[in-house]
Amino acid sequence: MSIEQQSSSLDFDVKRSSLYSVYFSSPMETMAERVKRALALREMTPSDLIARKVLSKAGIYFILDGTTKAEKIRASTVAKLSAALQVNPDWLQYGRGPMEGGAPVEEQQWEDVRGYAQAMGLGGGPEASEYAETHKLKFKASSLARKRLRAPALAVMYGQGDSMEPRIQSGDAILFDTSDTRPRDGALFVILVPGAHNAEYQVKRCEMLDDLVYFKADNPNGDHRWKKAKRLDDKRNPIQIVGRVRWIGSWED
C-alpha cells in the first residue's frame, strides 16, 4: 500500500470517530490513540497535518500505526504536533497530565538528561567506576532540538582537576553526546584512557593534524599528566572517544 493510500485510510479511521468516543473513551494507552483522539476533537485528519507541513506522509503514518514509538520521536516534532493539535505535549507523547490547558508549549517542554556521580578528570583523573545514575537534570526541549540532540543519548558528569582551565573548572557539570564520537578539530570530547589500574574518564580537546588525531589539555601548565598531546591511535595507550561535549554551563558549538 502506498503512503497516499495509507494516509487516506487513516483519514477515514479518524473521521468516523464520534464526539462521544472523543470525550468518553477509555484511557489513551498509546501515542497513536492520543493523536487520533486529538485529530477527531479538532475535526482534523492526518492529511491536514501533512498539508500544514507538521509531518511528512510517512512520519504521520508511522506514528498512527505504532511503528514509531513515542520515546523515539524528537522533541521538536512533538512540539510542532502538539501545537497544531492544541494539546499539551507531555500528554500527547506520554499520556501524562491533562490533554489541554497548563503552561504554554515552549515553557512546558523539558527533557530529562541522565546525571552520574562518576567524576571526569581534567588532570590526572579519577578511575572509571561502573556507571551509576544518580539523578536527572532538566534541559529545555527546544534547546536540545535546536542543537539536534536527543536526550536518551546525553549524559552529565562533573569535572575534577585543572588541565582544561579556563574553559572548564573543577566541579563544572559537563553534558556530552554519546552518539557523537567522530573526531572534530577543536571540539571537546569525553574520552576513556588507560589509568594506573583501570580506565579513566577525561575531557580533552581534539586536534587534527593531517590524518592524525590528538587530544590535548587547554592548560598544559596544570598539575596533571597531559603536558603533551596524546594520539588517539597510540598502540600502548589507546584512547576511546565516549562522546562530544556540548554544554558546560553554556553551549559548545
Side-chain angles (χ1 to χ4, degrees):
M1 183 183 293
S2 67
I3 293 296
E4 288 79 4
Q5 291 172 319
Q6 292 162 353
S7 179
S8 297
S9 175
L10 289 171
D11 285 352
F12 177 75
D13 290 339
V14 172
K15 285 177 180 177
R16 68 185 180 185
S17 298
S18 66
L19 286 178
Y20 182 87
S21 66
V22 167
Y23 287 105
F24 302 103
S25 60
S26 59
M28 302 286 98
E29 295 183 353
T30 68
M31 184 174 178
E33 292 175 306
R34 291 188 290 276
V35 172
K36 290 177 182 178
R37 180 177 181 179
L39 282 167
L41 179 62
R42 305 305 178 205
E43 298 184 351
M44 296 171 63
T45 69
S47 294
D48 293 324
L49 298 177
I50 296 167
R52 297 182 187 184
K53 297 184 178 180
V54 176
L55 287 168
S56 65
K57 293 177 181 178
I60 187 61
Y61 173 74
F62 289 143
I63 289 175
L64 291 177
D65 78 349
T67 299
T68 302
K69 304 303 180 185
E71 62 272 14
K72 299 294 185 182
I73 300 174
R74 287 180 176 273
S76 57
T77 299
V78 175
K80 289 194 295 183
L81 189 56
S82 59
L85 296 172
Q86 300 177 45
V87 298
N88 287 331
D90 213 31
W91 174 86
L92 188 66
Q93 189 169 17
Y94 298 115
R96 295 194 293 248
M99 178 180 180
E100 300 174 319
V105 171
E106 61 271 19
E107 295 179 4
Q108 187 184 45
Q109 274 286 73
W110 295 86
E111 293 276 8
D112 286 332
V113 173
R114 298 163 293 164
Y116 295 92
Q118 168 70 50
M120 291 190 294
L122 305 177
E127 291 185 350
S129 60
E130 289 188 15
Y131 259 156
E133 183 176 337
T134 59
H135 58 286
K136 292 185 182 296
L137 293 89
K138 296 286 187 181
F139 281 80
K140 207 167 185 180
S142 58
S143 296
L144 297 183
R146 282 196 300 273
K147 296 295 180 179
R148 300 179 181 273
L149 297 174
R150 293 181 60 253
L154 304 176
V156 171
M157 291 186 187
Y158 298 86
Q160 180 179 313
D162 63 356
S163 77
M164 298 308 292
E165 292 179 353
R167 180 62 186 95
I168 309 177
Q169 302 292 325
S170 190
D172 279 353
I174 301 166
L175 177 138
F176 57 100
D177 182 4
T178 61
S179 69
D180 189 350
T181 58
R182 184 177 180 179
R184 181 181 302 198
D185 189 47
L188 292 170
F189 285 89
V190 174
I191 58 178
L192 201 58
V193 300
H197 301 288
N198 295 313
E200 298 175 355
Y201 289 104
Q202 298 272 333
V203 180
K204 294 294 176 282
R205 194 171 299 279
C206 179
E207 183 176 64
M208 303 179 71
L209 299 174
D210 297 325
D211 295 330
L212 299 179
V213 178
Y214 293 85
F215 286 94
K216 65 178 185 177
D218 280 0
N219 176 24
N221 296 318
D223 182 16
H224 56 81
R225 300 193 305 268
W226 288 78
K227 302 294 185 181
K228 295 182 179 180
K230 300 182 181 182
R231 279 178 57 168
L232 174 67
D233 60 350
D234 188 323
K235 293 182 179 180
R236 291 186 178 181
N237 298 291
I239 293 174
Q240 177 186 339
I241 299 176
V242 179
R244 182 157 70 99
V245 173
R246 301 305 310 273
W247 183 88
I248 317 160
S250 61
W251 290 109
E252 286 286 305
D253 293 330

